[in-house]
Amino acid sequence: MKFTYLLMYVLLFLFTPTTLGTTSPMQNNKPPLPQAASEALIESISAFPHFTKEEVIASMPRTIEEWRNYVHARNSEQKKKIKKMKKELNVDVELIKLNDVVVRKLTPKTITPEFKDKVYLDIHGGAFVLFGGLPSIEEGLLVAERLGIVVYSVDYRMPPTFPFPAALSDVVAVYNDLLDQAGEGNIFVGGTSAGGGLVLSLVQSLIKSETPLPNAVYAGTPWADLTKTSDSLFTNEGIDNVLVTYDGQLEAAAKLYAGKKALADPAISPLYGSFEAFPPTLLVTGTRDMFLSDTARVSREIRDSGGVAQIEIFEGLSHAEYLIFYKTPESETTYRSMKSFFLSIN
């Protein structure tokens, strides 16, 4: 009973997409609030539940059935946020298929003139296991509205039913279809967290196959190394109130995604692949983000390989909180920077 209760309690909040005014069981042991962050971010973090490493590990799904229950509960919770965002944002949502892959086309009411003939391929996050279906459009809605560009959000296949290479194969298939439709030089690609990692893997795959590349890339706090190697996995453990720890659910999700592949395989962890000939890339992270080091390492690899990388680091931000807390100045700045970056490349 104790395990079941804790699992259901934690999965309501781990990677949670909404700010809830619920008192955490660790309320008195939270890390100090980031005093130099925006007031809106400080308030959001203060209301966000905090869990210890031990609590997160104890809540880890351990069977395929538990994983399916976990995914269902998390996706059901996420749908509430997406329905709320759809009411707030002036974006039309159309369910389509591209190369037999489920995709949602997101069209803003107003298109930025410079993006009139451009499209954006959005790859959602969620530790490679979460946010399929309607939840897959979370960041796509913000990109469409705030950049004024048509977005295609990929509802890629995920474990435990579909481990690697299903997700990457789906993303590549959709990109190739968009390439045929929009033409070379008219595609931007991007994603956050696991989606950011898939974006990097997509580009590396395109380079290998000598397929025309996207104009530019956005990789928000990318999960680019699925092994427990990056320094911030250790230094920000327990400080990052979204990921909390690599041990437990995060590591288990990585192994589910990798299937029979080693976590350090370049196809699984793009940081071990090549960044030669990489398109201009915008990277976003925060000082409390456990994937801060992944983001910094990707930036260094691109620049050391002769490419262009711009990295934005926000004070006090845990993993992907520019997306989770989308009404904060940090969130608005993230997508304003993305628009400026894309326009500078366009």
Side-chain angles (χ1 to χ4, degrees), residues 30-89:
K30 283 185 177 182
L33 293 171
Q35 296 304 311
S38 73
E39 183 177 342
L41 179 60
I42 293 173
E43 290 176 355
S44 297
I45 294 172
S46 180
F48 199 84
H50 177 78
F51 291 91
T52 66
K53 172 181 177 178
E54 291 73 22
E55 288 171 322
V56 171
I57 292 173
S59 71
M60 181 182 70
R62 300 178 188 279
T63 67
I64 295 301
E65 182 180 1
E66 286 181 0
W67 269 108
R68 291 197 172 111
N69 291 338
Y70 168 74
V71 169
H72 175 74
R74 288 299 300 115
N75 288 356
S76 296
E77 187 69 18
Q78 178 77 336
K79 283 181 183 178
K80 299 175 184 178
K81 178 184 182 181
I82 303 307
K83 290 178 180 178
K84 178 174 178 286
M85 292 176 70
K86 285 178 65 180
K87 292 179 180 178
E88 295 173 349
L89 303 173

Side-chain angles (χ1 to χ4, degrees), residues 38-158:
S38 73
E39 183 177 342
L41 179 60
I42 293 173
E43 290 176 355
S44 297
I45 294 172
S46 180
F48 199 84
H50 177 78
F51 291 91
T52 66
K53 172 181 177 178
E54 291 73 22
E55 288 171 322
V56 171
I57 292 173
S59 71
M60 181 182 70
R62 300 178 188 279
T63 67
I64 295 301
E65 182 180 1
E66 286 181 0
W67 269 108
R68 291 197 172 111
N69 291 338
Y70 168 74
V71 169
H72 175 74
R74 288 299 300 115
N75 288 356
S76 296
E77 187 69 18
Q78 178 77 336
K79 283 181 183 178
K80 299 175 184 178
K81 178 184 182 181
I82 303 307
K83 290 178 180 178
K84 178 174 178 286
M85 292 176 70
K86 285 178 65 180
K87 292 179 180 178
E88 295 173 349
L89 303 173
N90 292 315
V91 178
D92 292 328
V93 181
E94 179 185 2
L95 184 65
I96 62 175
K97 276 194 173 184
L98 297 180
N99 265 341
D100 293 323
V101 179
V102 176
V103 174
R104 286 169 177 81
K105 181 181 179 181
L106 314 178
T107 306
K109 298 297 184 183
T110 303
I111 302 289
T112 299
E114 293 87 344
F115 293 149
K116 180 176 179 293
D117 299 316
K118 310 296 182 184
V119 297
Y120 177 93
L121 177 61
D122 167 54
I123 306 174
H124 72 85
F128 298 103
V129 297
L130 299 174
F131 307 150
L134 184 63
S136 65
I137 67 173
E138 179 186 20
E139 187 164 40
L141 287 171
L142 293 176
V143 173
E145 167 77 6
R146 293 178 177 178
L147 272 68
I149 190 171
V150 175
V151 172
Y152 292 84
S153 293
V154 186
D155 191 359
Y156 56 84
R157 292 168 294 165
M158 292 182 288

Side-chain angles (χ1 to χ4, degrees), residues 34 232 236 239 285-290 292 313-318:
S232 56
N236 279 340
I239 303 299
T285 185
T287 57
R288 297 188 174 200
D289 187 358
M290 280 179 57
L292 169 61
I313 305 174
F314 288 96
E315 172 72 7
L317 208 70
S318 290

Side-chain angles (χ1 to χ4, degrees), residues 234-285:
F234 302 89
T235 59
N236 279 340
E237 183 179 58
I239 303 299
D240 185 328
N241 63 317
V242 177
L243 296 181
V244 183
T245 180
Y246 175 85
D247 301 333
Q249 294 179 5
L250 202 58
E251 181 181 22
K255 291 178 179 177
L256 273 183
Y257 171 68
K260 296 180 180 180
K261 290 274 190 179
L263 294 184
D265 188 300
I268 301 296
S269 296
L271 260 170
Y272 299 105
S274 172
F275 286 86
E276 293 287 339
F278 226 74
T281 301
L282 174 68
L283 299 137
V284 179
T285 185

Side-chain angles (χ1 to χ4, degrees), residues 144-183:
E145 167 77 6
R146 293 178 177 178
L147 272 68
I149 190 171
V150 175
V151 172
Y152 292 84
S153 293
V154 186
D155 191 359
Y156 56 84
R157 292 168 294 165
M158 292 182 288
T161 305
F162 299 105
F164 179 88
L168 183 56
S169 296
D170 287 352
V171 170
V172 171
V174 173
Y175 179 88
N176 286 331
D177 196 311
L178 287 180
L179 187 61
D180 290 339
Q181 291 186 36

